[in-house]
Amino acid sequence: MNPYAILSQTEHQRVSDGMTRPLLENCEIASHILILVWPQLGDFDSLEYAWWLQREAKKWPDEKLAIRAVGIGNRTSGVKFCEYTGFSPENLFVEPNAELHRQLNLYSGLNLSLPGLSVSGKAWLNLMLMCAGLGSPGTLKEVFRGYKGDRQAPQLIEDEEIIQGTPLPAFQGSFFQLAGGSGFQRPFELATLRLQNMVEVLSNWQTYVPLSAYLTQRGGTFLFDSTGQLLYEHRDPGVLGFAANMSQPLSFLSLID
């Protein structure tokens, strides 16, 4: 079954009101539909993807692009996620057990085990190995890119922005000019955003990740036209692999311009 057929039959709990509704409800007003199937809502990839969408959202009005996302968690997870990222709770749906991910044949992650490990322990073991690059191609390269900077990526933090929510004292975004200038992703800039996300999730772990059995599950991106024709898809190969072009994660949306 093709992705649109699966998604058009999918119903999940909507974060805004707690109702179970069709995922594609009210998408018919738009000329294009973007469906994001995210890992855990407390995952690096989910939080970072939402950050990019909020940064670029004004470029695509509702009549041009309907955006819907499904993440692993519960409604409480979804509410917290939306409060932190600014993602619309009307457009976010939650599922507890990665069933949609399985239907779409998305990568479930590394599946190694040791005798005596619980389901949760196994998930943590495999996630740590994936963060180290095992069964997760591109992860280490992407981690290093966050520290060394990227002249192919835009500047991520404005000079006047105050950076808080890290173990470091609050500081101004202009600090990153000292690491290389402006107008592109400077050294440590992306790593700082990821550190903010990590602090947020670890401080609210049980809220973001009510069930740790699916820590390794990866997500996918699907872009359709109004007739359901698939224009673009990306199936995440590993941690921090939510886009084909991580320097410009939403560059594929040029297809609708």
Side-chain angles (χ1 to χ4, degrees):
M1 190 177 293
N2 66 55
Y4 188 83
I6 294 171
L7 294 166
S8 65
Q9 298 174 22
T10 295
E11 294 189 357
H12 283 298
Q13 187 180 34
R14 187 166 55 200
V15 170
S16 60
D17 54 15
M19 297 181 63
T20 297
R21 302 300 304 166
L23 180 60
L24 300 188
E25 186 173 59
N26 298 325
C27 287
E28 62 275 3
I29 66 170
S31 60
H32 295 81
I33 304 169
L34 175 61
I35 303 296
L36 312 167
V37 184
W38 281 333
Q40 293 274 0
L41 289 176
D43 193 278
F44 277 127
D45 295 37
S46 305
L47 293 161
E48 197 167 315
Y49 210 141
W51 184 89
W52 278 101
L53 287 167
Q54 291 306 105
R55 173 189 170 101
E56 306 290 338
K58 293 180 180 179
K59 294 182 179 179
W60 302 286
D62 292 345
E63 63 271 15
K64 194 165 190 178
L65 182 66
I67 301 174
R68 299 291 184 270
V70 181
I72 302 172
N74 56 30
R75 190 184 177 205
T76 303
S77 311
V79 169
K80 185 66 173 173
F81 181 91
C82 292
E83 289 175 350
Y84 177 66
T85 64
F87 192 81
S88 169
E90 288 78 23
N91 296 339
L92 179 61
F93 295 72
V94 291
E95 64 167 354
N97 56 13
E99 177 58 31
L100 178 60
H101 301 68
R102 285 193 290 272
Q103 291 177 17
L104 292 167
N105 198 31
L106 298 175
Y107 180 40
S108 61
L110 200 61
N111 191 34
L112 301 179
S113 187
L114 293 174
L117 274 184
S118 65
V119 172
S120 177
K122 176 183 174 182
W124 271 108
L125 169 66
N126 283 287
L127 179 62
M128 293 301 100
L129 292 173
M130 290 177 70
C131 288
L134 186 62
S136 187
T139 296
L140 290 180
K141 179 181 178 182
E142 181 57 25
V143 170
F144 293 141
R145 188 179 71 88
Y147 288 102
K148 71 179 183 180
D150 181 357
R151 288 187 173 272
Q152 305 306 311
Q155 180 173 323
L156 305 180
I157 297 173
E158 297 298 327
D159 291 344
E160 65 275 10
E161 188 174 341
I162 302 300
I163 308 303
Q164 303 181 80
T166 77
L168 302 173
F171 61 95
Q172 197 163 348
S174 56
F175 169 82
F176 290 103
Q177 292 184 10
L178 301 176
S182 61
F184 62 95
Q185 180 192 306
R186 286 78 59 85
F188 298 100
E189 194 175 11
L190 179 55
T192 299
L193 294 177
R194 288 171 175 168
L195 180 59
Q196 286 181 307
N197 289 343
M198 183 176 71
V199 170
E200 165 69 14
V201 170
L202 293 180
S203 300
N204 302 278
W205 180 257
Q206 292 299 326
T207 300
Y208 278 107
V209 186
L211 183 62
S212 58
Y214 305 102
L215 289 174
T216 61
Q217 177 66 58
R218 298 297 92 200
T221 296
F222 303 90
L223 178 67
F224 305 96
D225 67 14
S226 59
T227 69
Q229 179 181 351
L230 182 64
L231 303 178
Y232 172 87
E233 72 173 4
H234 176 77
R235 296 170 178 269
D236 306 353
V239 177
L240 295 178
F242 62 83
N245 179 3
M246 289 295 290
S247 298
Q248 302 275 355
L250 301 181
S251 58
F252 69 91
L253 288 177
S254 62
L255 292 169
I256 70 175
D257 291 338

CSV table of all heavy atoms in Angstrom, one decimal, residues 115-153:
chain,number,residue,atom,x,y,z
A,115,PRO,N,21.5,-10.6,27.2
A,115,PRO,CA,20.7,-11.4,28.1
A,115,PRO,C,20.3,-10.7,29.4
A,115,PRO,O,21.1,-10.0,30.0
A,115,PRO,CB,21.6,-12.6,28.5
A,115,PRO,CG,22.6,-12.7,27.4
A,115,PRO,CD,22.8,-11.3,26.9
A,116,GLY,N,19.1,-10.7,29.7
A,116,GLY,CA,18.6,-10.1,31.0
A,116,GLY,C,18.2,-8.7,30.8
A,116,GLY,O,17.6,-8.1,31.8
A,117,LEU,N,18.3,-8.1,29.7
A,117,LEU,CA,17.9,-6.7,29.5
A,117,LEU,C,16.4,-6.6,29.4
A,117,LEU,O,15.8,-7.4,28.7
A,117,LEU,CB,18.5,-6.1,28.2
A,117,LEU,CG,19.9,-5.5,28.3
A,117,LEU,CD1,20.3,-4.9,27.0
A,117,LEU,CD2,20.0,-4.5,29.4
A,118,SER,N,15.9,-5.6,30.1
A,118,SER,CA,14.4,-5.3,29.9
A,118,SER,C,14.2,-4.7,28.6
A,118,SER,O,15.1,-4.3,27.8
A,118,SER,CB,14.0,-4.3,31.0
A,118,SER,OG,14.6,-3.1,30.9
A,119,VAL,N,12.9,-4.5,28.2
A,119,VAL,CA,12.6,-3.8,26.9
A,119,VAL,C,13.2,-2.4,26.9
A,119,VAL,O,13.7,-1.9,26.0
A,119,VAL,CB,11.1,-3.8,26.7
A,119,VAL,CG1,10.7,-2.9,25.5
A,119,VAL,CG2,10.6,-5.2,26.5
A,120,SER,N,13.0,-1.7,28.1
A,120,SER,CA,13.5,-0.4,28.2
A,120,SER,C,15.0,-0.3,28.1
A,120,SER,O,15.6,0.5,27.4
A,120,SER,CB,13.0,0.3,29.5
A,120,SER,OG,13.6,1.6,29.6
A,121,GLY,N,15.7,-1.3,28.8
A,121,GLY,CA,17.1,-1.3,28.8
A,121,GLY,C,17.7,-1.6,27.4
A,121,GLY,O,18.7,-1.0,27.0
A,122,LYS,N,17.0,-2.5,26.7
A,122,LYS,CA,17.4,-2.8,25.3
A,122,LYS,C,17.3,-1.6,24.4
A,122,LYS,O,18.2,-1.3,23.6
A,122,LYS,CB,16.6,-3.9,24.7
A,122,LYS,CG,16.8,-4.3,23.3
A,122,LYS,CD,15.9,-5.3,22.8
A,122,LYS,CE,16.0,-5.6,21.3
A,122,LYS,NZ,15.1,-6.6,20.8
A,123,ALA,N,16.2,-0.8,24.6
A,123,ALA,CA,16.0,0.4,23.8
A,123,ALA,C,17.1,1.4,24.1
A,123,ALA,O,17.7,2.0,23.2
A,123,ALA,CB,14.7,1.0,24.1
A,124,TRP,N,17.5,1.6,25.3
A,124,TRP,CA,18.5,2.5,25.7
A,124,TRP,C,19.9,2.1,25.2
A,124,TRP,O,20.7,2.9,24.7
A,124,TRP,CB,18.6,2.7,27.2
A,124,TRP,CG,17.7,3.7,27.8
A,124,TRP,CD1,16.6,3.5,28.5
A,124,TRP,CD2,17.9,5.1,27.7
A,124,TRP,NE1,16.0,4.8,28.8
A,124,TRP,CE2,16.8,5.7,28.3
A,124,TRP,CE3,18.9,5.9,27.1
A,124,TRP,CZ2,16.7,7.1,28.4
A,124,TRP,CZ3,18.7,7.3,27.1
A,124,TRP,CH2,17.7,7.9,27.8
A,125,LEU,N,20.2,0.8,25.3
A,125,LEU,CA,21.5,0.3,24.7
A,125,LEU,C,21.6,0.6,23.2
A,125,LEU,O,22.6,1.1,22.8
A,125,LEU,CB,21.5,-1.2,25.0
A,125,LEU,CG,22.7,-1.9,24.2
A,125,LEU,CD1,24.0,-1.5,24.7
A,125,LEU,CD2,22.5,-3.4,24.3
A,126,ASN,N,20.5,0.3,22.5
A,126,ASN,CA,20.6,0.5,21.1
A,126,ASN,C,20.6,2.0,20.7
A,126,ASN,O,21.3,2.4,19.7
A,126,ASN,CB,19.4,-0.2,20.4
A,126,ASN,CG,19.6,-1.7,20.3
A,126,ASN,OD1,20.4,-2.2,19.5
A,126,ASN,ND2,18.9,-2.5,21.2
A,127,LEU,N,19.9,2.8,21.5
A,127,LEU,CA,19.9,4.2,21.2
A,127,LEU,C,21.4,4.8,21.4
A,127,LEU,O,21.8,5.6,20.6
A,127,LEU,CB,19.0,5.0,22.1
A,127,LEU,CG,18.9,6.5,21.9
A,127,LEU,CD1,18.5,6.9,20.5
A,127,LEU,CD2,18.0,7.2,22.9
A,128,MET,N,22.0,4.4,22.5
A,128,MET,CA,23.4,4.9,22.7
A,128,MET,C,24.3,4.4,21.6
A,128,MET,O,25.2,5.2,21.2
A,128,MET,CB,23.9,4.3,24.1
A,128,MET,CG,23.1,4.9,25.3
A,128,MET,SD,23.2,6.7,25.4
A,128,MET,CE,21.7,7.2,24.7
A,129,LEU,N,24.2,3.2,21.1
A,129,LEU,CA,25.0,2.7,20.0
A,129,LEU,C,24.7,3.5,18.8
A,129,LEU,O,25.6,3.8,18.0
A,129,LEU,CB,24.8,1.2,19.8
A,129,LEU,CG,25.3,0.3,21.0
A,129,LEU,CD1,24.8,-1.1,20.7
A,129,LEU,CD2,26.8,0.4,21.1
A,130,MET,N,23.5,3.8,18.5
A,130,MET,CA,23.1,4.6,17.3
A,130,MET,C,23.7,6.0,17.4
A,130,MET,O,24.2,6.6,16.4
A,130,MET,CB,21.6,4.6,17.2
A,130,MET,CG,21.0,3.3,16.7
A,130,MET,SD,19.2,3.4,16.6
A,130,MET,CE,19.0,4.4,15.2
A,131,CYS,N,23.7,6.6,18.6
A,131,CYS,CA,24.3,7.9,18.8
A,131,CYS,C,25.8,7.9,18.5
A,131,CYS,O,26.4,8.9,18.2
A,131,CYS,CB,24.0,8.4,20.2
A,131,CYS,SG,22.3,8.9,20.5
A,132,ALA,N,26.4,6.7,18.7
A,132,ALA,CA,27.8,6.5,18.4
A,132,ALA,C,28.0,6.2,17.0
A,132,ALA,O,29.2,5.9,16.6
A,132,ALA,CB,28.4,5.5,19.4
A,133,GLY,N,27.0,6.1,16.2
A,133,GLY,CA,27.1,5.8,14.8
A,133,GLY,C,26.8,4.4,14.3
A,133,GLY,O,26.8,4.1,13.1
A,134,LEU,N,26.6,3.5,15.3
A,134,LEU,CA,26.4,2.1,14.9
A,134,LEU,C,24.9,1.9,14.4
A,134,LEU,O,24.0,2.2,15.2
A,134,LEU,CB,26.7,1.2,16.1
A,134,LEU,CG,26.6,-0.4,15.8
A,134,LEU,CD1,27.6,-0.8,14.7
A,134,LEU,CD2,26.8,-1.1,17.1
A,135,GLY,N,24.7,1.4,13.2
A,135,GLY,CA,23.4,1.3,12.7
A,135,GLY,C,22.7,2.6,12.5
A,135,GLY,O,21.4,2.6,12.4
A,136,SER,N,23.4,3.6,12.4
A,136,SER,CA,22.9,5.0,12.2
A,136,SER,C,23.8,5.8,11.3
A,136,SER,O,24.5,6.7,11.8
A,136,SER,CB,22.7,5.6,13.6
A,136,SER,OG,22.1,6.8,13.6
A,137,PRO,N,23.8,5.5,10.0
A,137,PRO,CA,24.7,6.2,9.1
A,137,PRO,C,24.6,7.7,9.1
A,137,PRO,O,23.4,8.2,9.1
A,137,PRO,CB,24.4,5.6,7.8
A,137,PRO,CG,23.1,5.1,7.9
A,137,PRO,CD,22.9,4.6,9.3
A,138,GLY,N,25.7,8.4,9.2
A,138,GLY,CA,25.6,9.9,9.1
A,138,GLY,C,25.5,10.6,10.5
A,138,GLY,O,25.7,11.8,10.5
A,139,THR,N,25.3,9.9,11.5
A,139,THR,CA,25.0,10.5,12.8
A,139,THR,C,26.2,11.3,13.3
A,139,THR,O,26.2,12.4,13.7
A,139,THR,CB,24.5,9.5,13.9
A,139,THR,OG1,23.3,9.0,13.5
A,139,THR,CG2,24.4,10.2,15.2
A,140,LEU,N,27.4,10.6,13.3
A,140,LEU,CA,28.6,11.3,13.9
A,140,LEU,C,29.0,12.5,13.0
A,140,LEU,O,29.4,13.5,13.5
A,140,LEU,CB,29.7,10.3,13.9
A,140,LEU,CG,29.6,9.2,15.0
A,140,LEU,CD1,30.8,8.2,15.0
A,140,LEU,CD2,29.4,9.8,16.4
A,141,LYS,N,28.9,12.3,11.7
A,141,LYS,CA,29.2,13.5,10.8
A,141,LYS,C,28.3,14.6,11.2
A,141,LYS,O,28.7,15.8,11.2
A,141,LYS,CB,29.0,13.0,9.4
A,141,LYS,CG,29.2,14.1,8.4
A,141,LYS,CD,29.0,13.7,6.9
A,141,LYS,CE,29.2,14.8,5.9
A,141,LYS,NZ,28.9,14.3,4.5
A,142,GLU,N,27.0,14.4,11.4
A,142,GLU,CA,26.1,15.4,11.7
A,142,GLU,C,26.3,16.1,13.1
A,142,GLU,O,26.2,17.3,13.3
A,142,GLU,CB,24.6,14.9,11.7
A,142,GLU,CG,23.5,15.9,11.9
A,142,GLU,CD,23.6,17.1,11.0
A,142,GLU,OE1,24.1,17.0,9.9
A,142,GLU,OE2,23.1,18.2,11.4
A,143,VAL,N,26.7,15.2,14.1
A,143,VAL,CA,27.1,15.8,15.4
A,143,VAL,C,28.3,16.7,15.2
A,143,VAL,O,28.3,17.9,15.8
A,143,VAL,CB,27.5,14.6,16.3
A,143,VAL,CG1,28.1,15.2,17.6
A,143,VAL,CG2,26.2,13.8,16.7
A,144,PHE,N,29.3,16.3,14.5
A,144,PHE,CA,30.5,17.2,14.3
A,144,PHE,C,30.2,18.4,13.6
A,144,PHE,O,30.7,19.5,13.8
A,144,PHE,CB,31.6,16.4,13.6
A,144,PHE,CG,32.2,15.2,14.4
A,144,PHE,CD1,32.5,14.0,13.7
A,144,PHE,CD2,32.4,15.4,15.7
A,144,PHE,CE1,33.0,13.0,14.5
A,144,PHE,CE2,32.9,14.3,16.5
A,144,PHE,CZ,33.2,13.1,15.8
A,145,ARG,N,29.2,18.4,12.6
A,145,ARG,CA,28.8,19.6,11.9
A,145,ARG,C,28.2,20.6,12.8
A,145,ARG,O,28.4,21.8,12.6
A,145,ARG,CB,27.8,19.2,10.8
A,145,ARG,CG,27.5,20.4,9.8
A,145,ARG,CD,26.4,19.9,8.8
A,145,ARG,NE,25.1,19.7,9.4
A,145,ARG,CZ,24.2,20.7,9.5
A,145,ARG,NH1,24.5,21.9,9.0
A,145,ARG,NH2,23.0,20.4,10.0
A,146,GLY,N,27.5,20.1,13.8
A,146,GLY,CA,27.0,21.1,14.8
A,146,GLY,C,28.0,21.8,15.6
A,146,GLY,O,27.8,23.0,16.1
A,147,TYR,N,29.2,21.3,15.7
A,147,TYR,CA,30.3,21.9,16.5
A,147,TYR,C,31.2,22.8,15.5
A,147,TYR,O,31.6,23.8,15.9
A,147,TYR,CB,31.1,20.9,17.2
A,147,TYR,CG,30.5,20.3,18.4
A,147,TYR,CD1,29.9,19.0,18.3
A,147,TYR,CD2,30.4,21.0,19.6
A,147,TYR,CE1,29.3,18.5,19.4
A,147,TYR,CE2,29.7,20.4,20.7
A,147,TYR,CZ,29.2,19.2,20.6
A,147,TYR,OH,28.5,18.6,21.7
A,148,LYS,N,31.5,22.2,14.3
A,148,LYS,CA,32.4,22.9,13.5
A,148,LYS,C,31.8,24.0,12.6
A,148,LYS,O,32.6,24.8,12.1
A,148,LYS,CB,33.2,21.9,12.6
A,148,LYS,CG,32.3,21.3,11.5
A,148,LYS,CD,33.1,20.3,10.7
A,148,LYS,CE,32.3,19.8,9.5
A,148,LYS,NZ,33.1,18.8,8.7
A,149,GLY,N,30.5,24.1,12.5
A,149,GLY,CA,29.9,25.1,11.7
A,149,GLY,C,29.6,24.6,10.3
A,149,GLY,O,30.1,23.5,9.9
A,150,ASP,N,28.9,25.4,9.4
A,150,ASP,CA,28.6,24.9,8.1
A,150,ASP,C,28.3,26.2,7.3
A,150,ASP,O,27.3,26.8,7.5
A,150,ASP,CB,27.4,24.0,8.2
A,150,ASP,CG,26.9,23.5,6.8
A,150,ASP,OD1,27.5,23.9,5.8
A,150,ASP,OD2,26.0,22.7,6.8
A,151,ARG,N,29.1,26.5,6.3
A,151,ARG,CA,28.9,27.6,5.5
A,151,ARG,C,27.8,27.4,4.4
A,151,ARG,O,27.4,28.4,3.8
A,151,ARG,CB,30.2,28.0,4.8
A,151,ARG,CG,31.2,28.6,5.8
A,151,ARG,CD,32.5,29.2,5.1
A,151,ARG,NE,33.3,29.9,6.0
A,151,ARG,CZ,33.2,31.2,6.3
A,151,ARG,NH1,32.3,31.9,5.7
A,151,ARG,NH2,34.0,31.8,7.2
A,152,GLN,N,27.3,26.2,4.3
A,152,GLN,CA,26.2,26.0,3.4
A,152,GLN,C,24.9,26.1,4.1
A,152,GLN,O,23.8,26.0,3.4
A,152,GLN,CB,26.3,24.5,2.8
A,152,GLN,CG,27.6,24.2,2.1
A,152,GLN,CD,28.0,25.2,1.0
A,152,GLN,OE1,27.2,25.6,0.2
A,152,GLN,NE2,29.2,25.7,1.1
A,153,ALA,N,24.9,26.3,5.4
A,153,ALA,CA,23.7,26.5,6.2
A,153,ALA,C,23.5,27.9,6.6
A,153,ALA,O,24.5,28.7,6.7
A,153,ALA,CB,23.7,25.6,7.4
